[in-house]
Amino acid sequence: MSPTIAAKEGGRQRRAGSHQHCLDVRSEAPPGLALCGDGLPGGEAEALLLPAAEAASSRRARGCRAELGSILLLLVLYVLQGIPLGLAGSVPLILQSKSASYTDQAFFSFVFWPFSLKLLWAPLVDAVYLRSFGRRKSWLVPTQYVLGLFMIYMSTQVDLLLGDGEGRGPNVVALTGTFFFFEFLAATQDIAVDGWALTMLSRENVGYASTCNSVGQTAGYFLGNVLFLALESASFCNKYLRFQPQPQGIVTLSDFLFFWGAVFLITTTLVALLKKENKELTPTKEETKGITDTYRLLFSIIKMPAVLTFCLLILTAKVGFSAADAVTGLKLVEEGVPKEHLALLAVPMVPLQIILPLIISKYTAGPQPLNTFYKAMPFRLLLGLEFAFLVWWTPKVKHEGGFPVYYYVVVLLSYALHQITLYSMYVAVMAFNAKVSDPLIGGTYMTLLNTVSNLGGNWPSTVALWLVDPLTVKECAGAQEQSCGTTVAAELCTKAGGSCVTALDGYYVESVICVILGFCWWFLLGPKFKKLQDEGQSSWKCKRTN
């Protein structure tokens, strides 16, 4: 629904060769019941917590306490990972409050692509390292040092990039490059931490890695997004946190970057000096032999007819949701909804986002998980029209003091319904990917399918943002024989004493087009997508040559 409160389907995914498919940010099972067998000898799945004798439970409890330091370290590393993700999610709302164009927003949306594309360089992170320093620390330490130093440097430049509000607007190209680099480093850190988690914890406690992942990254995103936007807002701070009003919030983006840059440097130094890697573990049979072997394996997977059909369909399945997911939140900010209020709506959604996968997984655990995807899709498409109505209704209920409570209740309920349909489709696809992935190369196989699924959400969002301005029709009011079709024409209109007025908002046009395209996909290609469930296991198994 917005860069802040909408759950990102193009979120973080496992790297190639990852040996863990436990509970992720959008979990399908509780941490204690997650299956994490890909990394075990022979690649056979093993339940982490099974009913056992009381003595065995006692040993596991003691093991957990013995590894508490490692668990807390993983939690801290995942929290740090969430900070740049949260900051990147807050920038579109800041740009919108500075009247950035939707073309600029579309350009900035490329910032969110690295986590979906990290499969491209993950084999390099897995294969190249200094044995004396440690396989994962060889990437984790330098990556976090660069992140920390770059944050501190950018704290001196970011105010200039955001514009001064006195005729100089945001430098969107520089901001995009900056935060793309942040996201690239965070994705690289994620690859290293995911891999380290598997060897840092014992087999009995490796399930806690997924819990650290989910809790840590969510907490980091909250700190970098919701908390930052609240503390950066002068109106929020003056209303709730101050006795004397001030023209600025308690913190600025510059302050926030400097603080977390220092935290990155301190944490990384402590990890480099005090934490040692377990170098005694031998590679499992699922691991490939090197970089070339991994890329050759990926190419052989995607050439299979069933996989290629899945990729083509999932890359187009989310076109119908792009306007609602990518543009609605920005439109609400444009209509006057405070960006910090929009961000805070994410807080009551957290329990729902935890519970939903647990409920939905009961319906996707069978042989046909894509039936849930197919059934949820029309409801999510119709919510796109409801979001468009919500944007149209917003200025009509606005008053001098802001917006009434019932307005935020309607927004919250709309978002909750959106989350139900989104998670129904997301969990269904994840369940299908797990079902068809060849167990001999499960980590690489499933990561590839998840990456393609994420790209299917990323590219429509970028296109949807880019199309808003071209589809918008503006007229010059107050000056005859003038138009507002181009930037030059708009300047001439202003010089002639007129002003450009929106006659038709491209967002509404786009919303209708997206819903129509979505229903066309549902009617014409949806049955073919469901039919993939009927393919035999041989259609999905990769023929490897040893």
Side-chain angles (χ1 to χ4, degrees):
M1 186 172 172
S2 81
T4 304
I5 63 174
K8 291 288 183 185
E9 290 180 280
R12 47 180 312 285
Q13 290 298 338
R14 296 291 172 198
R15 71 196 191 291
S18 172
H19 313 304
Q20 180 176 342
H21 300 299
C22 305
L23 190 73
D24 206 329
V25 176
R26 297 176 183 82
S27 50
E28 298 178 41
L33 299 177
L35 292 178
C36 294
D38 283 347
L40 302 179
E44 297 180 5
E46 176 179 327
L48 291 173
L49 292 182
L50 297 173
E54 188 176 339
S57 299
S58 172
R59 285 195 300 271
R60 278 196 293 269
R62 285 198 298 272
C64 175
R65 287 195 294 269
E67 294 187 316
L68 183 60
S70 295
I71 292 172
L72 291 177
L73 174 59
L74 281 176
L75 184 63
V76 170
L77 292 175
Y78 281 119
V79 168
L80 291 180
Q81 186 186 116
I83 297 297
L85 301 179
L87 285 174
S90 68
V91 172
L93 298 181
I94 296 175
L95 291 177
Q96 195 68 9
S97 66
K98 293 178 178 289
S99 301
S101 69
Y102 285 93
T103 303
D104 290 337
Q105 294 280 12
F107 189 74
F108 187 83
S109 69
F110 283 107
V111 163
F112 303 107
W113 285 53
F115 264 85
S116 295
L117 297 174
K118 66 181 182 180
L119 182 65
L120 297 178
W121 67 92
L124 186 67
V125 177
D126 267 345
V128 179
Y129 57 92
L130 297 174
R131 186 177 298 273
S132 59
F133 190 51
R135 183 179 185 183
R136 305 306 174 184
K137 285 171 64 177
S138 295
W139 287 92
L140 177 70
V141 171
T143 298
Q144 290 198 167
Y145 268 134
V146 173
L147 253 172
L149 292 171
F150 193 56
M151 278 185 167
I152 291 174
Y153 169 73
M154 287 310 303
S155 69
T156 65
Q157 304 294 319
V158 71
D159 291 337
L160 188 65
L161 298 182
L162 286 173
D164 54 13
E166 299 177 0
R168 184 174 60 188
N171 187 339
V172 176
V173 174
L175 283 170
T176 302
T178 297
F179 282 90
F180 186 92
F181 188 54
F182 277 145
E183 298 298 285
F184 171 78
L185 291 173
T188 304
Q189 188 252 28
D190 177 56
I191 298 167
V193 176
D194 282 350
W196 198 5
L198 299 176
T199 58
M200 187 184 297
L201 301 178
S202 64
R203 286 174 57 181
E204 290 81 6
N205 294 319
V206 74
Y208 288 103
S210 60
T211 306
C212 293
N213 182 334
S214 179
V215 175
Q217 195 183 66
T218 301
Y221 190 93
F222 180 87
L223 292 172
N225 189 288
V226 179
L227 183 64
F228 164 69
L229 287 172
L231 296 181
E232 186 263 350
S233 168
S235 61
F236 181 88
C237 294
N238 291 338
K239 186 174 182 179
Y240 298 107
L241 302 176
R242 285 178 176 147
F243 295 106
Q244 295 294 330
Q246 300 290 332
Q248 288 186 327
I250 292 177
V251 300
T252 63
L253 184 54
S254 176
D255 299 331
F256 208 76
L257 284 171
F258 183 86
F259 172 80
W260 284 107
V263 172
F264 265 93
L265 294 181
I266 295 170
T267 305
T268 306
T269 301
L270 293 175
V271 171
L273 296 177
L274 303 179
K275 186 64 179 177
K276 305 297 181 183
E277 286 195 46
N278 184 355
K279 301 176 183 178
E280 298 178 358
L281 296 179
T282 56
T284 66
K285 99 177 191 182
E286 188 197 18
E287 286 190 287
T288 51
K289 297 177 182 178
I291 300 173
T292 304
D293 188 34
T294 302
Y295 286 118
R296 189 181 294 115
L297 179 59
L298 291 172
F299 186 66
S300 66
I301 293 172
I302 206 166
K303 283 196 306 182
M304 292 188 292
V307 175
L308 188 59
T309 301
F310 170 82
C311 291
L312 293 175
L313 290 174
I314 201 66
L315 282 172
T316 55
K318 300 171 187 175
V319 170
F321 319 127
S322 55
D325 291 356
V327 188
T328 300
L330 300 177
K331 275 294 175 183
L332 292 177
V333 173
E334 183 181 322
E335 296 295 348
V337 179
K339 60 183 183 299
E340 63 275 9
H341 290 179
L342 204 57
L344 287 169
L345 289 178
V347 178
M349 287 295 103
V350 172
L352 182 65
Q353 291 169 346
I354 294 173
I355 295 170
L356 276 176
L358 306 181
I359 298 174
I360 296 167
S361 60
K362 296 179 182 179
Y363 300 94
T364 59
Q368 295 187 316
L370 293 183
N371 288 356
T372 302
F373 180 100
Y374 187 76
K375 291 175 182 177
M377 188 171 181
F379 295 100
R380 187 173 171 186
L381 288 169
L382 292 175
L383 280 173
L385 296 179
E386 194 269 340
F387 283 169
F389 173 79
L390 187 63
V391 172
W392 173 83
W393 182 55
T394 297
K396 302 184 184 309
V397 297
K398 184 180 180 181
H399 52 72
E400 291 184 4
F403 293 88
V405 175
Y406 68 82
Y407 171 79
Y408 287 108
V409 172
V410 171
V411 173
L412 194 62
L413 289 175
S414 300
Y415 178 48
L417 291 174
H418 175 262
Q419 290 294 283
I420 293 172
T421 58
L422 184 151
Y423 273 77
S424 296
M425 298 178 68
Y426 178 85
V427 174
V429 171
M430 293 300 102
F432 178 75
N433 291 350
K435 173 177 173 284
V436 301
S437 293
D438 188 338
L440 289 178
I441 48 173
T444 304
Y445 201 127
M446 190 169 177
T447 303
L448 174 63
L449 297 182
N450 291 347
T451 297
V452 175
S453 300
N454 290 338
L455 288 175
N458 279 341
W459 78 262
S461 295
T462 298
V463 173
L465 287 165
W466 180 77
L467 285 175
V468 173
D469 286 337
L471 291 174
T472 298
V473 178
K474 292 186 177 182
E475 297 177 348
C476 183
Q480 295 182 348
E481 300 182 358
Q482 297 293 336
S483 66
C484 295
T486 64
T487 304
V488 176
E491 292 176 355
L492 292 175
C493 171
T494 304
K495 289 180 180 178
S499 61
C500 290
V501 178
T502 301
L504 178 63
D505 195 324
Y507 166 69
Y508 300 115
V509 177
E510 192 175 84
S511 295
V512 174
I513 293 174
C514 283
V515 171
I516 292 174
L517 290 176
F519 273 108
C520 287
W521 190 98
W522 188 65
F523 279 116
L524 301 177
L525 299 179
K528 189 172 184 179
F529 191 57
K530 283 201 305 176
K531 197 174 180 181
L532 288 172
Q533 301 172 122
D534 301 329
E535 295 279 351
Q537 284 296 319
S538 59
S539 300
W540 303 97
K541 285 196 174 183
C542 185
K543 297 176 178 61
R544 301 186 72 187
T545 56
N546 295 324

